[in-house]
Amino acid sequence: MDSYLYPLVIYAKCHFYISVAKAVEILEAYEGTLEDDYPPDNERCEHGEMLLYKISLLEECGFLERALEELHKKEPKIVDKLVSKEQEVSLLVKLGRLEEGANHYKALLAMNPDNYRSILCLLRIPLDFLQGDKFCAAAANYIKPLLTKGVPSLFSDLSPLYDQPGKADILEQLILELEHSISGDGRYPDRTEKEPPSTLLWILFFLAQHYDRRGQYDIALSKIDEAIQHTPTVIDLYSVKSRILKHAGDLVAAASLADEARCMDLADRYINSESVKRMLQADQVALAEKIAVLFTKDGDQHNNLHDMQCMWYELASGESYFRQGDLGRALKKFLAVEKHYADITEDQFDFHSYCLRKMTLRAYVDMLRFQDRLHSHAYFHKAAAGAIRCYLKLYDSPLNSPAEVEDNTSKATQKKKMKKQRKAERAKKEAEEKNEGSSASGTSKSGKRHIKPVDPDPYGEKLLKTDDPLSEATKYLKLLQKNSSDSLETHLLSFEVNMRKQKILLAFQAVKQLLRLDADNPDSHCCLIKFFHKVSSMPAPVSDAEKLVWSVLEAERPSISQLHEKTLSEANKIFLGNHEDSLMHRAAVAEMLYTLDPTKKLEAVKIIEDSSNKIVPTNGALGSVMEWKLKDCIAVHKLLDNVLIDTDAALRWKVRCAEYFPYSIYFEGSRSSAVNNSLNNLDTETPLNGGANGPDIIQSGNAFTSNGKLEAFKNLKI
């Protein structure tokens, strides 16, 4: 084994620091020193791993024919035959030898019938390329067996096809034909044998998700209710109905349905997590915490969630706290996720010598590449962006000093603050007592007691006492700029931070990056107008540094096509003319009109109110699809209410959107739980975040009359 170590280190370094081709040369030189009968039986596995690694390097260099030839030549010495076959198929497909590749995929499927990748390549991938009647025929052949078998993930598998024009309409027509045929005589249109009764259930299940994806929530709820009436014991139906209600805007009802699904199988961790996620989206944090810890170790609870690096939970909690204005706890959750990534970076050092010693070269290279892009992961991006927003909000609304509180705060506010402080101290004391009591039973085999640490800052108050929030935000911004430079959000945050820091050139750099990524994006337009409006209002430069900055901006402005020989107002009007059918573009133009000239507020409001919610052209058989999205309409309402400060216009917009989104709690739609009080056992006077008098669980067995016969589950013992 030791004979491998030195050359492995050399070509691994060459691979990453010189070139892939150089690594191949070193490998071949090393192979030239080996005997023909090499390796001995006790080193066959290690030698085969080295050969597979060399072939993968050749493939990476683009030497496909040579890699395939090498694979055929060295195949007898490769121990892992399955990986060898998979690599051969990959090479054949890249070389365009598709018939040979298809035959090899069939061979792989025979070796492992449950290998999803092989099934996907043979049946699913052609759906990405076929069009028209050929697509319809191939989709029918792919879908029918899976509906008969009852595969819940079928829609998730096909959902990427919805991004291709026309394919969603074809799928809708196909599934509706199958539904009509199965409902009539229990058979598929081209078959004589009858389908099992569950086939209709999974057709309805698919259709509910289809109409949910298209924004036709009434039809989606009708289909899922029909499925629940057909078979009320399938948990997936309640989870999907919860998802539909979430998309429709009724987050409280969605949390209730998710909890209903959870209660049907208390041993399912995934359903439990889904329920927790819905509760956090509805800002029911206290209730979500109680449900989340059901699957943690007794006595450790939230610390255990942190130790398990449960990042989705921490992100969802942080976002909920941020929505509720609790910046301390929001920051605490976001920074906990950042800490996980620091731990991952540190832990990877343990694997370097291990991977080289065990000869797992391909896995080792994958780990190194993963480490290079670790901080570009979506979870880190969300955590860093969330932390930056917290610091921006803290900078815009800084905490008052104790002296200011004493001078400016009323006695009632002081009393409330003291009550909250006493409650926090009491909670801390109870936690310490609980930890002391549980530590007596928390002993290891050696007899040592494990004393669980008490969080010294459960509410994140110390995090809020930073002297320079923008400096803290900049630390995370630099990580985003390094690892997520192609994200629009990264440069939007950069613009906000640097404008507040008066770093004009850095803010301008962010504007240029936004225009590079998406010049037509409403946020890019807003940043462009805001930046040059701010620059125009600045005093004349005095120092040499200021004059240099000014000269750079004067030299760069003509190169921006949106502003070439135009005033900011003219550029704003042209942007409106180019995107007059888009709600969010009209909102951006209205906001910039008000920014440039506050006396034109009524004109800005009119630009928004003149927007029309058009029907998206489709060939769907049922209903129509409207263009506006719920989140966009909520953003426009907040713009009218908080930026343009027009209460009457905001109220008119709310009434208008309540008709488009009848299930939306935000707009108090006629079918939302906020209006109908459909959650019978949820006290409407209780804060969503729970509390001392908050409900222990959401009781919603009778919440929806269309949920099927749920009474039978009331007395189930699990």
Side-chain angles (χ1 to χ4, degrees):
M1 183 70 66
D2 292 341
S3 62
Y4 275 92
L5 190 57
Y6 182 70
L8 287 182
V9 172
I10 291 178
Y11 67 66
K13 288 184 177 180
C14 287
H15 185 181
F16 279 89
Y17 299 109
I18 303 176
S19 70
V20 178
K22 190 67 176 176
V24 173
E25 287 182 23
I26 294 176
L27 275 174
E28 290 181 338
Y30 174 69
E31 281 187 275
T33 65
L34 302 177
E35 301 291 339
D36 293 339
D37 59 349
Y38 193 86
D41 291 341
N42 63 339
E43 294 186 6
R44 284 178 57 83
C45 184
E46 291 87 345
H47 186 70
E49 178 69 22
M50 187 197 70
L51 295 175
L52 287 171
Y53 179 61
K54 176 187 172 184
I55 292 165
S56 68
L57 290 179
L58 289 170
E59 184 177 0
E60 188 175 336
C61 288
F63 304 142
L64 302 180
E65 290 283 3
R66 184 178 166 190
L68 188 60
E69 181 183 346
E70 186 77 12
L71 181 61
H72 290 156
K73 180 181 177 182
K74 303 291 186 180
E75 188 172 9
K77 294 186 177 183
I78 297 176
V79 177
D80 195 338
K81 300 299 182 185
L82 182 61
V83 173
S84 174
K85 288 288 183 185
E86 289 177 346
Q87 195 142 13
E88 185 177 6
V89 172
S90 174
L91 291 168
L92 288 170
V93 171
K94 289 181 178 179
L95 287 168
R97 294 156 63 173
L98 301 182
E99 290 187 10
E100 291 182 63
N103 292 332
H104 279 71
Y105 270 123
K106 291 176 182 177
L108 284 171
L109 200 56
M111 293 171 65
N112 186 0
D114 295 325
N115 189 330
Y116 181 73
R117 286 181 58 192
S118 301
I119 298 173
L120 185 70
C121 290
L122 279 174
L123 301 175
R124 168 64 182 81
I125 287 182
L127 298 181
D128 291 327
F129 305 103
L130 296 174
Q131 301 291 333
D133 293 339
K134 289 184 177 180
F135 168 78
C136 185
N141 291 333
Y142 181 72
I143 290 172
K144 288 177 186 177
L146 299 180
L147 290 174
T148 302
K149 189 176 181 180
V151 178
S153 60
L154 175 60
F155 180 80
S156 298
D157 186 14
L158 297 179
S159 60
L161 298 175
Y162 282 65
D163 296 327
Q164 300 183 28
K167 289 191 175 180
D169 295 334
I170 294 175
L171 288 174
E172 180 178 327
Q173 295 287 349
L174 171 62
I175 302 297
L176 287 175
E177 288 176 9
L178 297 179
E179 180 195 21
H180 181 266
S181 180
I182 294 292
S183 300
D185 57 10
R187 300 181 179 88
Y188 284 136
D190 56 347
R191 305 231 180 125
T192 56
E193 65 274 12
K194 282 199 170 186
E195 290 293 314
S198 61
T199 302
L200 178 59
L201 167 71
W202 296 111
I203 289 175
L204 294 169
F205 184 70
F206 185 96
L207 284 172
Q209 296 173 89
H210 165 81
Y211 288 115
D212 175 41
R213 172 68 182 259
R214 308 198 84 171
Q216 297 170 275
Y217 303 120
D218 281 330
I219 305 175
L221 288 170
S222 173
K223 293 296 181 183
I224 200 64
D225 286 339
E226 191 177 344
I228 291 173
Q229 192 69 30
H230 182 282
T231 311
T233 56
V234 178
I235 300 176
D236 291 313
L237 302 180
Y238 300 91
S239 296
V240 165
K241 184 169 183 179
S242 169
R243 198 174 303 127
I244 295 169
L245 286 168
K246 182 198 78 167
H247 296 157
D250 198 336
L251 299 177
V252 175
S256 176
L257 259 297
D259 190 66
E260 219 171 282
R262 180 188 69 84
C263 292
M264 293 171 69
D265 187 355
L266 296 175
D268 192 315
R269 183 190 291 265
Y270 174 79
I271 300 296
N272 189 84
S273 300
E274 191 82 1
S275 176
V276 170
K277 188 182 295 184
R278 295 286 176 265
M279 291 173 184
L280 292 173
Q281 289 165 348
D283 292 338
Q284 300 167 349
V285 182
L287 186 56
E289 287 178 349
K290 294 179 182 179
I291 302 301
V293 299
L294 293 177
F295 279 85
T296 61
K297 295 178 181 178
D298 291 338
D300 208 2
Q301 297 191 351
H302 301 111
N303 285 336
N304 187 254
L305 283 171
H306 178 78
D307 293 340
M308 290 191 300
Q309 297 184 342
C310 191
M311 288 185 267
W312 69 263
Y313 172 78
E314 290 169 328
L315 284 172
S317 298
E319 289 164 358
S320 178
Y321 283 129
F322 183 79
R323 287 192 296 269
Q324 298 174 74
D326 192 341
L327 296 184
R329 284 194 276 193
L331 259 178
K332 193 171 181 65
K333 294 296 183 182
F334 290 136
L335 297 186
V337 175
E338 190 273 336
K339 173 69 165 54
H340 295 324
Y341 281 86
D343 292 341
I344 293 171
T345 301
E346 176 121 5
D347 292 343
Q348 57 101 10
F349 290 109
D350 297 335
F351 292 93
H352 290 292
S353 60
Y354 173 83
C355 290
L356 290 175
R357 187 172 69 253
K358 292 293 184 180
M359 288 293 297
T360 54
L361 293 178
R362 289 174 299 125
Y364 178 54
V365 170
D366 288 342
M367 187 203 74
L368 292 176
R369 286 175 174 162
F370 167 77
Q371 197 63 36
D372 288 341
R373 60 177 185 272
L374 176 64
H375 288 90
S376 62
H377 192 275
Y379 278 177
F380 180 83
H381 183 98
K382 288 180 181 179
I388 292 170
R389 287 196 174 90
C390 287
Y391 285 122
L392 288 175
K393 198 168 185 179
L394 186 60
Y395 175 82
D396 293 339
S397 304
L399 299 177
N400 292 328
S401 65
E404 290 174 326
V405 171
E406 193 171 83
D407 294 338
N408 303 327
T409 308
S410 64
K411 291 182 179 180
T413 306
Q414 288 188 23
K415 186 177 179 181
K416 185 177 180 182
K417 184 176 180 181
M418 292 296 294
K419 184 178 179 181
K420 182 179 179 181
Q421 185 176 356
R422 287 196 300 271
K423 184 178 178 182
E425 292 173 352
R426 186 168 60 252
K428 182 178 179 180
K429 184 178 180 181
E430 290 174 355
E432 290 174 349
E433 292 173 352
K434 184 177 180 182
N435 280 327
E436 289 174 0
S438 62
S439 64
S441 59
T443 57
S444 64
K445 293 181 180 180
S446 61
K448 295 182 179 179
R449 293 197 308 174
H450 300 292
I451 300 175
K452 299 179 178 66
V454 177
D455 189 348
D457 186 25
Y459 298 102
E461 294 173 351
K462 293 181 180 179
L463 295 172
L464 297 179
K465 293 179 181 178
T466 176
D467 296 329
D468 190 356
L470 293 182
S471 177
E472 295 296 322
T474 302
K475 291 194 298 187
Y476 301 104
L477 177 61
K478 288 180 178 178
L479 286 171
L480 289 182
Q481 289 173 321
K482 179 180 178 181
N483 299 282
S484 301
S485 58
D486 289 334
S487 169
L488 206 69
E489 185 180 31
T490 296
H491 303 294
L492 288 172
L493 292 171
S494 175
F495 176 80
E496 296 294 338
V497 170
N498 288 305
M499 286 295 284
R500 287 167 173 79
K501 293 176 70 175
Q502 301 294 318
K503 301 289 187 181
I504 300 301
L505 288 183
L506 291 177
F508 182 58
Q509 184 184 57
V511 170
K512 293 192 70 174
Q513 291 291 340
L514 288 169
L515 296 177
R516 175 184 67 84
L517 291 172
D518 188 357
D520 292 327
N521 187 281
D523 291 325
S524 301
H525 174 73
C526 287
C527 290
L528 176 66
I529 300 298
K530 284 180 182 178
F531 176 79
F532 281 102
H533 178 62
K534 173 71 174 177
V535 169
S536 65
S537 63
M538 293 172 61
V542 177
S543 65
D544 292 340
E546 291 175 346
K547 292 178 180 178
L548 181 61
V549 170
W550 203 267
S551 64
V552 170
L553 295 179
E554 288 181 341
E556 287 286 336
R557 176 164 176 162
S559 66
I560 300 175
S561 59
Q562 291 87 344
L563 299 180
H564 185 59
E565 296 183 351
K566 304 180 191 74
T567 65
L568 296 180
S569 296
E570 290 171 345
N572 202 38
K573 288 181 181 178
I574 292 173
F575 190 78
L576 175 61
N578 293 336
H579 306 281
E580 60 183 357
D581 294 332
S582 167
L583 172 64
M584 294 309 294
H585 287 82
R586 295 180 73 94
V589 169
E591 182 182 357
M592 291 304 98
L593 178 63
Y594 178 72
T595 299
L596 295 172
D597 188 354
T599 63
K600 295 185 177 181
K601 182 170 79 171
L602 293 178
E603 184 180 343
V605 171
K606 188 175 185 302
I607 290 174
I608 294 175
E609 293 187 329
D610 286 347
S611 305
S612 58
N613 191 6
K614 298 182 179 179
I615 297 176
V616 178
T618 66
N619 296 321
L622 298 177
S624 57
V625 181
M626 306 304 290
E627 188 176 54
W628 288 0
K629 304 299 180 185
L630 176 60
K631 65 175 184 178
D632 293 341
C633 291
I634 291 175
V636 171
H637 180 265
K638 291 178 178 179
L639 172 66
L640 290 167
D641 200 20
N642 302 328
V643 179
L644 300 182
I645 315 176
D646 192 326
T647 307
D648 293 336
L651 181 59
R652 291 195 300 271
W653 184 259
K654 185 174 183 178
V655 172
R656 183 180 179 184
C657 290
E659 297 179 4
Y660 294 132
F661 305 101
Y663 296 96
S664 170
I665 283 185
Y666 184 89
F667 291 120
E668 298 180 2
S670 59
R671 300 181 192 176
S672 69
S673 58
V675 173
N676 293 331
N677 194 23
S678 59
L679 302 177
N680 297 335
N681 297 308
L682 185 62
D683 185 358
T684 56
E685 295 181 358
T686 302
L688 287 179
N689 198 23
N693 300 320
D696 288 337
I697 60 171
I698 295 180
Q699 299 289 343
S700 57
N702 299 322
F704 298 92
T705 58
S706 59
N707 276 353
K709 301 175 182 178
L710 291 177
E711 294 300 323
F713 297 98
K714 295 297 182 183
N715 299 320
L716 276 181
K717 294 181 180 179
I718 300 181

